[in-house]
Amino acid sequence: MQAANGKHRGFATPVQDVPESGTAGNSSLPLNEELLRLAVGGMPDYAIIMLDPQGRVGTWNAGAERIKGYRAEEIIGHHFSCFHTDEAIQQGWPKTELARATAEGRFEDEGWRVRKDGSKFWANVIITALRDDTGDLKGFSKVTRDLTERKLAEDAIRKLNAELEERVRERTAELHAAVDERRRAEGKFQLVVESAPNAMVMIDRDGRIILINAQTEKLFGYMRDELLGQPVELLVPKRFRSQHPEYRTSFLANPAARAMGVGRDLFGQRKDGSEFPVEIGLTPIESDEGLLVLSAIVDITERKRAEQKFRLAVESAPNGMLMINAEGRIVLINAQTEKLFGFARDELLGQPVELLVPARYREKHPEYRIGFFGDPAARSMGTGRDLYGQRKDGSEFPVEIGLMPIETEEGRLVLAAIVDITERKRAQEEIRKFSEGLEQRVAERTALLESANKELEAFSYTVSHDLRAPLRAIDGFSRIVMEDFAPLLPAEAKNYLQDVRANTLRMGELVDDLLSFARLSRQPVNKEFVAPQWIVTQCLEELQSQKNGRRVEIRVAELPPCQADPSLLKQVWFNLISNALKYTGKRETALIEIGCQPSAEPQQQVYFVKDNGVGFNMRYAHKLFGVFQRLHASEDYEGTGVGLAIVQRIVNRHGGRIWAEAAPDKGATFFFTLGEGSTNAR
Amino acid sequence: MRANCVEILLVEDNPNDVKLAMHAFETHNMANSVHVARDGAEALEFIFCTDRYADRKIHSGPKMILLDLKLPLVDGIEVLRRAKGDPRTQRIPIVVMTSSKEDRDIVESYKLGVNSYIVKPVDFGQFTDAVKQLGYYWLLLNQSPIAGP
């Protein structure tokens, strides 16, 4: 009841008091109480309440109800300390508030307050002491605003500010560190540039030189001070100078580390005006002063010279020379290659090398090529295969190809030397045909010789058997006649029969000698180590009969051993000594010297048999060694005329020589050698 | 008496040589025990008692063969090979008659087991030497009663 009533009246009373407070308004101002009541009651954002001098709630408006959660009937009459936190109450804060408002007339506070449901809100509180005209304390007005949101926003802002400040501090520290780092880096950078093995030049956006190293001074012949601040074009030959800024600009427009002037030949110019070929690498560098460009400059004079030499060598090579890169494209050829394949240089450069390979091998070729690049070593191509090249006109020709890997800055290249072997093949073919023909002819000739030899053998056999048979018969029957019919024959008949027998005997000897001479040409020469001394001694013993009844002086010198067929060599010595004995037959004292002397030819001895016999005229010396040739009448000196022919044939078959020196009636000397290496000449 | 007991087979095609040899044997009264074959085929028939000599007995001789190497039909080397290759006849001494001591066939015939050689014309002196050299004195002794004075 009180509440329902008091709602209006309750309000009316304090509102009435407001003008009297001296703070809120002028007591002299006429206020419409109803308006004030309405105004206070309708202010939803402000809790406006009256407290009695003890702090008990006297009035309650809608704002108070909204903010604090109490309805008027629930709270009126209760002490306002229920709006405080427990901590504030323990500290006696409600009393302090009232005391200070009492003392100062007005007290303002901000702090945590408590709602009916126990939740807290941040409140702005203004407590004003209300006094009557006499100054007696009548109570307090209390205006409360809920500032929780503002408080939270403020807190957030504060926190943000703190964070911001922290970040500012950190960032500042970072910046300091970065500056230090930059300073160190710049120092390092300059050191690196300075110690680089190449000339290095850094320019700014305007193309002015801002940094160079000692190598640059050396390379271009300038002092550092002469270059710093100058346009980089100072280092460019005059003829390129005008174009250079344009290139520079285009680099700056699209800066990326790359080589300068790809495809162009670059030159530097020294202070003295001389030029030299260079290779330049460009690197853009972002800096505080804007985009800079660092260029590394290499003097490639030597390399160019080497390249030039290489090109000259390739060009002047007598073979086709061709260089390909890893993709199999032709990067270099010489004039011979043009000539060989019928292509012009421009038609080949940049083309796949398979262009020169006959179509039937073309598919396989890249495989071989890649294989070689993978395992390169100088070698000939396609060992064991026949290789062919194909000319522009499609014709093929046989080739021989040598491959050599070359490591270059552009990567691995392969140099191929190509020889057209058409002529060689033709020559080989001719040689092959020729030798086939030759072999054929040799075979034919051999067959002819073999058959001739067989015929000769057959002939010899025939001679030995058939020619001899009639002789045997003549001699045999003559002998029978002489023996069985001796008493019936006159002496003259017996003499004639004797002559018949002597002649058949002689013919037998002739046949024998002829046979042994013929046999010499087919009999093999079996050389062995023999002692001529011993052979000569043997011969002299066997020839004893020829010495009988004569005065013969034979001097045999020391004869070194030699390589010869013993039985054939014996025949030589036998015949020569026999001849010497024979042709000294009419000397009172026969003198025969046997010896040897060094030869002009290497490792040979000259053996000789010298006699003091009848000798002969050297005019007929050429007839000496012919078969059946005789220089003396057989009546004077018996013999068949085959002996020296046999001797010469034996000597020749040993690879030696035989010759004679003589004069009529002054004796003769026969010399012979036995071929190279037959003796160890002392 | 000697008809089917031939002591010597002379294989020679040259009539002159046959004559000369026979003259030598006649001189020493040995001609009766010599049978002459004129070619290699006849020699083989005689040695192995076939064809023309089928009625001969193989063990009845000859005691020696004088063989020329150059013969019609079958050459001397072949005759030699066959005779020396058969156990029934390999012990018969064979003396090769040659026209030359240089004859290369001599070497070949020695390889085939020939016992000796003599150079033609065959005279009794040479024949005797060969027989003595071979140690076949019995051959000469066997003949001596006939050869006696």
Side-chain angles (χ1 to χ4, degrees):
Chain A
M1 203 136 112
Q2 191 190 358
N5 200 9
K7 199 172 186 177
H8 299 274
R9 296 200 4 218
F11 274 112
T13 310
V15 169
Q16 251 183 333
D17 291 340
V18 169
E20 294 167 357
S21 70
T23 309
N26 195 328
S27 58
S28 61
L29 192 67
L31 287 173
N32 186 316
E33 192 181 330
E34 184 59 16
L35 270 177
L36 186 62
R37 193 189 52 83
L38 282 173
V40 171
M43 289 173 79
D45 293 337
Y46 291 86
I48 300 171
I49 60 174
M50 297 295 173
L51 303 177
D52 66 12
Q54 285 72 43
R56 285 188 295 262
V57 176
T59 66
W60 194 250
N61 74 340
E65 185 177 334
R66 198 185 62 80
I67 291 169
K68 297 188 178 176
Y70 297 100
R71 295 206 334 253
E73 59 268 30
E74 285 175 324
I75 196 62
I76 286 177
H78 289 277
H79 195 268
F80 86 108
S81 61
C82 67
F83 306 137
H84 285 86
T85 62
D86 292 345
E87 292 90 351
I89 292 167
Q90 276 170 13
Q91 286 166 7
W93 188 250
K95 269 181 195 152
T96 306
E97 280 185 325
L98 293 184
R100 285 185 61 179
T102 304
E104 296 161 20
R106 185 172 179 275
F107 176 73
E108 186 169 350
D109 184 27
E110 266 189 29
W112 291 109
R113 295 293 185 272
V114 183
R115 293 193 186 92
K116 179 189 174 187
D117 61 9
S119 63
K120 287 177 182 172
F121 66 99
W122 188 261
N124 174 271
V125 179
I126 297 168
I127 300 172
T128 308
L130 300 175
R131 294 173 189 280
D132 61 13
D133 297 342
T134 61
D136 290 340
L137 184 67
K138 302 295 264 193
F140 302 91
S141 70
K142 180 169 175 275
V143 180
T144 305
R145 273 186 299 162
D146 181 349
L147 296 181
T148 304
E149 284 183 12
R150 201 196 75 191
K151 165 72 176 164
L152 288 177
E154 275 175 6
D155 283 355
I157 285 165
R158 199 174 300 121
K159 200 175 156 203
L160 269 175
N161 274 338
E163 281 174 8
L164 208 59
E165 272 173 31
E166 180 60 25
R167 276 166 60 195
V168 167
R169 261 196 309 279
E170 283 173 5
R171 185 84 184 118
T172 307
E174 271 174 20
L175 277 171
H176 279 297
V179 168
D180 287 351
E181 178 65 26
R182 170 68 68 89
R183 273 201 200 110
R184 273 200 301 276
E186 273 176 11
K188 245 188 238 169
F189 175 72
Q190 296 213 346
L191 204 65
V192 166
V193 166
E194 192 57 39
S195 59
N198 304 328
M200 302 203 83
V201 173
M202 189 145 81
I203 61 168
D204 62 14
R205 281 200 83 90
D206 304 322
R208 297 201 173 270
I209 298 169
I210 58 170
L211 176 69
I212 68 159
N213 63 356
Q215 288 295 328
T216 307
E217 291 181 296
K218 215 164 119 189
L219 194 57
F220 288 91
Y222 285 98
M223 299 297 291
R224 199 172 295 240
D225 291 345
E226 294 175 298
L227 288 177
L228 291 177
Q230 297 300 315
V232 73
E233 279 74 20
L234 188 63
L235 305 177
V236 178
K238 282 206 176 68
R239 58 204 161 99
F240 302 119
R241 217 169 267 178
S242 61
Q243 297 159 302
H244 194 263
E246 198 182 307
Y247 290 130
R248 246 193 315 114
T249 309
S250 78
F251 179 80
L252 289 172
N254 185 19
R258 62 173 168 83
M260 186 196 283
V262 178
R264 279 183 292 137
D265 282 337
L266 302 179
F267 295 90
Q269 181 175 293
R270 296 194 192 85
K271 187 179 178 184
D272 63 11
S274 60
E275 289 183 17
F276 57 99
V278 293
E279 201 171 75
I280 301 179
L282 298 175
T283 311
I285 294 179
E286 294 281 358
S287 82
D288 300 341
E289 297 103 274
L291 189 62
L292 305 178
V293 179
L294 181 66
S295 36
I297 304 155
V298 184
D299 180 354
I300 56 169
T301 308
E302 277 311 311
R303 195 207 303 164
K304 281 273 172 191
R305 203 170 287 158
E307 272 179 21
Q308 187 61 20
K309 264 191 210 161
F310 175 73
R311 276 172 194 278
L312 272 175
V314 166
E315 194 57 40
S316 61
N319 307 328
M321 302 284 274
L322 185 146
M323 193 145 78
I324 63 166
N325 62 16
E327 288 94 56
R329 293 192 180 272
I330 300 168
V331 295
L332 175 70
I333 68 160
N334 67 354
Q336 283 297 323
T337 304
E338 292 181 287
K339 220 163 113 188
L340 210 53
F341 288 91
F343 279 102
R345 205 168 289 234
D346 291 345
E347 294 174 305
L348 287 179
L349 290 177
Q351 296 301 312
V353 70
E354 279 75 22
L355 188 64
L356 306 176
V357 178
R360 61 206 154 99
Y361 302 119
R362 210 167 276 170
E363 199 183 334
K364 269 251 165 193
H365 192 265
E367 194 183 306
Y368 292 130
R369 182 159 55 68
I370 290 160
F372 182 81
F373 267 91
D375 179 25
R379 61 172 169 83
S380 48
M381 186 197 284
T383 311
R385 280 184 292 140
D386 280 340
L387 302 179
Y388 295 91
Q390 180 173 292
R391 298 193 191 88
K392 189 181 180 182
D393 64 11
S395 60
E396 289 184 18
F397 58 103
V399 291
E400 199 171 76
I401 300 180
L403 297 177
M404 188 167 69
I406 295 179
E407 302 296 335
T408 72
E409 299 187 355
E410 293 103 73
R412 180 172 288 162
L413 301 176
V414 172
L415 184 67
I418 305 158
V419 186
D420 181 348
I421 55 170
T422 308
E423 278 308 311
R424 194 204 299 169
K425 284 254 174 190
R426 190 177 298 156
Q428 278 174 350
E429 184 58 22
E430 267 172 28
I431 287 171
R432 197 185 58 76
K433 275 186 188 154
F434 181 74
S435 50
E436 258 180 21
L438 206 61
E439 273 171 30
Q440 179 67 22
R441 275 163 59 196
V442 165
E444 283 169 7
R445 191 64 55 83
T446 306
L448 275 177
L449 279 171
E450 275 170 5
S451 93
N453 217 16
K454 276 195 186 120
E455 275 170 28
L456 192 66
E457 274 185 46
F459 173 73
S460 302
Y461 196 82
T462 302
V463 167
S464 67
H465 285 86
D466 298 355
L467 207 57
R468 193 177 286 279
L471 288 177
R472 266 201 315 275
I474 296 165
D475 182 63
F477 292 127
S478 304
R479 188 168 47 84
I480 289 168
V481 169
M482 280 174 76
E483 285 173 2
D484 291 8
F485 304 99
L488 305 176
L489 289 175
E492 202 181 0
K494 284 181 193 168
N495 280 341
Y496 284 133
L497 280 171
Q498 199 60 53
D499 286 347
V500 168
R501 291 200 67 197
N503 276 291
T504 53
L505 197 70
R506 178 162 169 70
M507 187 160 174
E509 282 172 0
L510 281 169
V511 168
D512 277 346
D513 280 358
L514 197 56
L515 277 177
S516 56
F517 179 73
R519 196 167 41 241
L520 272 178
S521 52
R522 10 178 247 274
Q523 189 174 321
V525 176
N526 298 313
K527 282 192 181 184
E528 54 186 72
F529 203 63
V530 295
Q533 199 89 47
W534 186 77
I535 290 175
V536 166
T537 308
Q538 257 193 322
C539 291
L540 288 173
E541 277 173 20
E542 287 173 28
L543 288 164
Q544 188 61 43
S545 61
Q546 284 193 41
K547 292 187 284 182
N548 286 343
R550 293 174 53 190
R551 289 176 65 185
V552 178
E553 191 180 331
I554 296 176
R555 299 176 192 158
V556 182
E558 195 185 331
L559 301 171
C562 61
Q563 290 283 330
D565 184 309
S567 67
L568 294 177
L569 184 61
K570 185 185 171 187
Q571 212 170 332
V572 170
W573 283 111
F574 188 94
N575 287 6
L576 290 178
I577 296 168
S578 169
N579 275 357
L581 284 168
K582 192 198 300 177
Y583 292 108
T584 53
K586 291 180 176 165
R587 289 283 179 267
E588 206 171 300
T589 302
L591 180 62
I592 297 170
E593 289 177 72
I594 295 167
C596 82
Q597 61 195 43
S599 165
E601 294 148 275
Q603 294 188 1
Q604 291 195 41
Q605 293 285 325
V606 179
Y607 300 96
F608 63 85
V609 177
K610 185 178 183 182
D611 65 57
N612 62 343
V614 289
F616 55 86
N617 192 328
M618 283 298 280
R619 197 188 301 164
Y620 307 112
H622 63 283
K623 290 190 166 186
L624 212 50
F625 301 103
V627 183
F628 296 136
Q629 293 288 342
R630 294 181 53 86
L631 301 186
H632 300 279
S634 54
E635 282 167 27
D636 295 337
Y637 301 99
E638 56 183 21
T640 57
V642 182
L644 283 178
I646 288 173
V647 166
Q648 189 192 40
R649 185 160 281 189
I650 292 171
V651 167
N652 287 351
R653 293 209 63 201
H654 277 79
R657 293 193 302 125
I658 183 161
W659 68 99
E661 286 171 8
D665 221 29
K666 295 271 169 61
T669 310
F670 284 85
F671 303 90
F672 70 94
T673 66
L674 289 170
E676 199 173 326
S678 58
T679 59
N680 297 315
R682 288 174 206 168
Chain B
M1 171 187 168
R2 305 283 172 202
N4 53 359
C5 188
V6 171
E7 305 291 340
I8 296 169
L9 173 66
L10 175 65
V11 190
E12 176 62 82
D13 65 317
N14 188 318
N16 288 324
D17 284 332
V18 171
K19 246 190 217 178
L20 289 166
M22 289 308 288
H23 179 264
F25 287 120
E26 274 165 14
T27 317
H28 293 87
N29 296 318
M30 280 179 69
N32 284 346
S33 60
V34 175
H35 182 85
V36 178
R38 300 284 178 167
D39 58 60
E42 188 186 350
L44 287 173
E45 287 172 21
F46 186 88
I47 293 167
F48 292 104
C49 309
T50 59
D51 301 84
R52 279 168 278 180
Y53 299 99
D55 57 335
R56 255 176 48 79
K57 295 286 175 278
I58 199 157
H59 53 80
S60 60
K63 288 213 166 72
M64 174 184 264
I65 300 169
L66 284 172
L67 181 66
D68 186 18
L69 292 178
K70 192 168 176 289
L71 292 169
L73 303 181
V74 177
D75 72 17
I77 292 290
E78 181 60 22
V79 173
L80 182 59
R81 181 178 294 119
R82 299 268 295 273
K84 286 296 182 186
D86 193 309
R88 298 169 297 171
T89 56
Q90 65 183 4
R91 301 179 72 90
I92 303 172
I94 300 178
V95 174
V96 159
M97 300 180 294
T98 175
S99 49
S100 165
K101 62 178 177 179
E102 306 284 340
D103 202 323
R104 64 197 156 88
D105 287 338
I106 293 173
V107 179
E108 178 66 16
S109 49
Y110 268 113
K111 282 183 195 160
L112 290 171
V114 84
N115 301 79
S116 184
Y117 77 91
I118 57 180
V119 178
K120 289 192 277 191
V122 176
D123 65 23
F124 202 74
Q126 265 201 90
F127 174 74
T128 307
D129 283 349
V131 167
K132 281 180 179 166
Q133 190 191 324
L134 292 172
Y136 297 137
Y137 291 103
W138 49 265
L139 195 64
L140 297 173
L141 291 172
N142 214 19
Q143 300 302 322
S144 53
I146 304 151

